[in-house]
């Protein structure tokens, strides 16, 4: 089974900050990685798939990079609506999720 | 409107059974594999089970293998999860999820339902 390690678990930042979240996988998954945003009481929302492809309708301040075993999600300039929890998901075999990063207002 | 709507969650005693349903609309249901994903409130996401487009192939997480059964009825555009021998650790919000699929296969989840809460407690 592929293990997915996401960091940090909590991130405090301010509006306008640039933030980065990292996911590492226990074995190479090429670029089969997605990022989701989740707000309390809501289902996850797809942001990025295949490591770096922005889902339609997602603001361009979100970007993803990486391949193999290390991946990053970057938000270039935080907006108030971005404070939420973020998950990565590898889908090279079955589906395995990272533990989540809660992005909080500093 | 493209959507998934889960139902069937409730409070159940340990050892009990429950059947979840997911009604799909707005897309051609039998073109897609489907999955169930669960989330303990305040915690991470766990893929539970998946089924291919015609129901011939099913897969399960080790944590539910032998206790849960996934099925679908394409005529009713519906996905199901039969949960038996329920345990406290099965308490979670259960989401129905549709992957993006093309001729090469199925990939990330691009559509989720709103979730249904299952609480296993005596």
């Amino acid at each position: 089974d592929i293990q997915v390690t996401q960091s940090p678990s909590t991130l405090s930042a301010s509006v306008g900050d640039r933030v980065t979240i990292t996911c590492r996988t226990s074995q190479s998954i090429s670029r089969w990685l997605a990022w989701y945003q989740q707000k309390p009481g809501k289902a996850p929302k797809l942001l990025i798939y295949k490591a770096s492809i922005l889902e339609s309708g997602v603001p361009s301040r979100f970007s993803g990079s990486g391949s193999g075993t290390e991946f990053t999600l970057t938000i270039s300039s935080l907006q108030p609506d971005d404070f939420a929890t973020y998950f990565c998901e590898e889908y090279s075999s079955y589906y395995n999720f990272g533990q989540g990063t809660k992005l909080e207002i500093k | 409107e493209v959507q998934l709507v889960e139902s069937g969650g409730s409070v159940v005693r340990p050892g009990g059974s429950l059947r979840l349903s997911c009604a799909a609309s707005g897309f051609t249901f039998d073109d897609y594999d489907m999955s169930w994903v669960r989330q303990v409130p305040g915690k991470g996401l766990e893929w539970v089970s998946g089924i291919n487009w015609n129901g011939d192939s099913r897969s399960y997480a080790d944590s539910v293998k032998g206790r849960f059964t996934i099925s679908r009825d394409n005529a009713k555009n519906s996905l199901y999860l039969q949960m038996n021998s329920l345990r406290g650790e099965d308490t979670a919000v259960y989401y129905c999820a549709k992957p993006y699929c093309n001729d090469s296969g199925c990939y990330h989840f691009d559509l989720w339902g709103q979730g249904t809460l299952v609480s296993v407690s005596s």
Side-chain angles (χ1 to χ4, degrees):
Chain A
D1 208 20
I2 298 174
Q3 309 303 314
V4 181
T5 304
Q6 185 175 340
S7 62
S9 55
T10 306
L11 183 54
S12 296
S14 302
V15 172
D17 284 354
R18 178 185 180 93
V19 298
T20 297
I21 299 169
T22 298
C23 268
R24 292 183 174 87
T25 57
S26 58
Q27 61 191 74
S28 177
I29 59 167
S30 184
R31 296 174 60 82
W32 301 119
L33 189 111
W35 291 96
Y36 298 88
Q37 177 193 69
Q38 187 178 35
K39 295 186 177 180
K42 300 294 186 181
K45 172 190 172 184
L46 177 65
L47 298 175
I48 287 169
Y49 60 95
K50 210 170 182 183
S52 63
I53 301 174
L54 202 65
E55 173 70 345
S56 176
V58 174
S60 59
R61 62 181 179 274
F62 291 91
S63 64
S65 65
S67 66
T69 62
E70 187 155 338
F71 303 85
T72 59
L73 170 70
T74 298
I75 310 172
S76 60
S77 178
L78 274 173
Q79 299 302 300
D81 191 51
D82 299 339
F83 292 95
T85 299
Y86 293 84
F87 292 96
C88 60
E89 171 210 44
E90 73 83 17
Y91 51 96
S92 67
S93 53
Y94 290 103
Y95 299 94
N96 292 289
F97 294 88
Q99 301 90 333
T101 295
K102 185 175 183 180
L103 181 51
E104 299 179 329
I105 301 175
K106 185 185 286 184
Chain B
E1 183 184 0
V2 177
Q3 63 177 356
L4 299 168
V5 179
E6 301 95 334
S7 60
S10 73
V11 179
V12 60
R13 294 195 174 182
S17 298
L18 205 57
R19 189 196 197 204
L20 306 183
S21 299
C22 170
S25 59
F27 64 97
T28 305
F29 183 66
D30 57 10
D31 277 353
Y32 296 92
D33 296 1
M34 294 293 294
S35 278
W36 288 97
V37 177
R38 69 183 180 185
Q39 184 174 36
V40 174
K43 302 296 184 182
L45 296 157
E46 179 189 20
W47 174 81
V48 172
S49 181
I51 188 168
N52 75 331
W53 69 276
N54 66 359
D56 281 354
S57 178
R58 311 174 193 206
S59 52
Y60 300 93
D62 288 345
S63 57
V64 307
K65 203 170 291 184
R67 300 187 299 123
F68 290 11
T69 302
I70 191 171
S71 62
R72 64 190 297 160
D73 184 338
N74 288 342
K76 295 183 177 179
N77 290 339
S78 292
L79 177 72
Y80 306 102
L81 186 67
Q82 178 66 43
M83 304 186 294
N84 298 331
S85 303
L86 282 161
R87 307 167 180 168
E89 55 264 37
D90 296 318
T91 294
V93 174
Y94 285 73
Y95 294 102
C96 170
K98 168 195 159 298
Y100 167 81
C101 299
N102 59 22
D103 290 345
S104 300
C106 292
Y107 305 97
H108 54 279
F109 296 122
D110 64 356
L111 181 65
W112 299 67
Q114 86 288 350
T116 187
L117 178 62
V118 173
S119 181
V120 183
S121 174
S122 54

